[in-house]
Amino acid sequence: MSETTPLKPIEIGLTAAIVAIEDHEPQILTARGSDGLAGLPFGPFDALSHRTFEIGLRAWVEAQTGLRLGYVEQLYTFGDRGRHAEAGDTGAHMVSIGYLALTRAVNGELAATGASFEPWYRFFPWEDWREEPPAIIARDIIPALTKWAEEETPETTRALPRRDRVRFYFGLDGAPWDEERVLDRYELLYEAGLIEEARRDGRPAALARKTLPALGTSMRFDHRRILATGIARLRAKLKYRPVVFELLPAEFTLTELQHTVEAVSGRHLHKQNFRRLVETEALVEPTGVMSTQTGGRPAALYRFRRDVHQERPAPGLRVRSRR
């Protein structure tokens, strides 16, 4: 009988990208690890204690942050070799099941566990187009990616060459900026060795560089990749499901609704066009009450029409940019 190679044990982890809105800014819940890096709430799946993955996720989040989750949906299973390991790690291979969760909680409601909400554009500064195209793209990203693309050899097996991927994902040479391609852009930067996670994972493209540009704040393990997946999913769902209301108080003004959609999508929206869209989709209804907390003229308060949950498909907000 021939000898067989021992199988490497696998553990299942549960990771949550938990999103909230505070002061018109999208926030992501983080918990600091022993290495000092920000990470997403994370814990192993215990088949004896947790009947389902989601039950296990909710239990870990509450234990680590004191937060009880509301809206939760599964994102993806992340199991690439090396993306959750550290140098010299010989332990079990970690397969992480990522989740997207939405909450109205703020820092004051969290347990004193070191968990806190941080602006998600701190980790992805090139994704915020609300005022103008981020300067970091033209100043740091495009020159580095262009040089990397020029180094591609003819033997590449990719369907799209590097130059085309840079153009499509970052909206160059007439290609439109697609706010949903968050993960594609992050993976391109990783492949080019331009972010700290690539150096930490021992990727040759990163190790060959003497210095790395400051492209956002890195996270533990592959958590920034999981967060990129969550942002992309949420931006896409804005357009066909009324998930934005999970981030708003029970009553809100149309301006607050617009600012929340802008915060998540990273795009500026034309005020009148946005209000016509909200009216056409019939997602909200007036409460008959005026808000005096706007800092100016009183504004009408609205609430989400709960009966749209019964509609198939439930409408969303197909945002359009002014640019």
Side-chain angles (χ1 to χ4, degrees), residues 54-120:
E54 185 175 318
I55 289 174
L57 177 83
R58 291 177 183 274
W60 274 116
V61 169
E62 185 170 358
Q64 292 182 14
T65 70
L67 179 66
R68 292 190 176 185
L69 295 179
Y71 177 93
V72 170
E73 70 167 274
Q74 191 175 126
L75 282 173
Y76 192 73
T77 299
F78 301 85
D80 292 1
R81 185 163 57 87
R83 293 298 287 266
H84 202 286
E86 295 177 329
D89 189 356
T90 59
H93 178 64
M94 180 64 71
V95 173
S96 183
I97 301 175
Y99 284 82
L100 171 67
L102 308 181
T103 182
R104 300 183 181 92
V106 294
N107 286 323
E109 300 176 36
L110 298 176
T113 57
S116 64
F117 281 99
E118 299 186 47
W120 79 23

Side-chain angles (χ1 to χ4, degrees), residues 21 24-26 120-121 124-134 137 177-180 182 185 231-232 234-236 238-239 257-269 319-323:
I21 299 291
H24 310 313
E25 289 299 322
W120 79 23
Y121 291 123
F124 297 93
W126 56 87
E127 293 292 340
D128 188 0
W129 287 60
R130 286 173 293 178
E131 297 296 330
E132 59 186 3
I137 294 179
W177 173 267
D178 185 347
E179 66 270 15
E180 295 179 32
V182 187
R185 286 186 281 271
I231 294 173
L234 184 54
R235 285 180 169 183
L238 280 180
K239 301 174 183 179
L257 174 58
Q258 179 174 340
H259 285 163
T260 299
V261 174
E262 289 176 331
V264 172
S265 68
R267 306 297 294 262
H268 175 83
L269 306 174
V319 297
R320 293 290 184 270
S321 168
R322 67 178 177 183
R323 284 184 290 272

Side-chain angles (χ1 to χ4, degrees), residues 242-302:
V243 294
V244 67
F245 297 99
E246 302 287 346
L247 299 168
L248 287 161
E251 297 181 353
F252 48 84
T253 67
L254 293 183
T255 297
E256 290 172 332
L257 174 58
Q258 179 174 340
H259 285 163
T260 299
V261 174
E262 289 176 331
V264 172
S265 68
R267 306 297 294 262
H268 175 83
L269 306 174
H270 186 278
K271 180 178 179 180
Q272 296 306 320
N273 289 346
F274 177 79
R275 297 199 172 193
R276 279 196 292 270
L277 175 63
V278 171
E279 181 179 348
T280 299
E281 298 291 355
L283 292 175
V284 301
E285 60 187 8
T287 65
V289 177
M290 304 293 286
S291 171
T292 58
Q293 307 299 315
T294 60
R297 296 169 55 187
L301 286 172
Y302 290 79

Side-chain angles (χ1 to χ4, degrees), residues 295-310:
R297 296 169 55 187
L301 286 172
Y302 290 79
R303 59 177 166 247
F304 173 48
R305 282 202 313 113
R306 292 293 172 184
D307 56 324
V308 301
H309 272 312
Q310 308 304 318

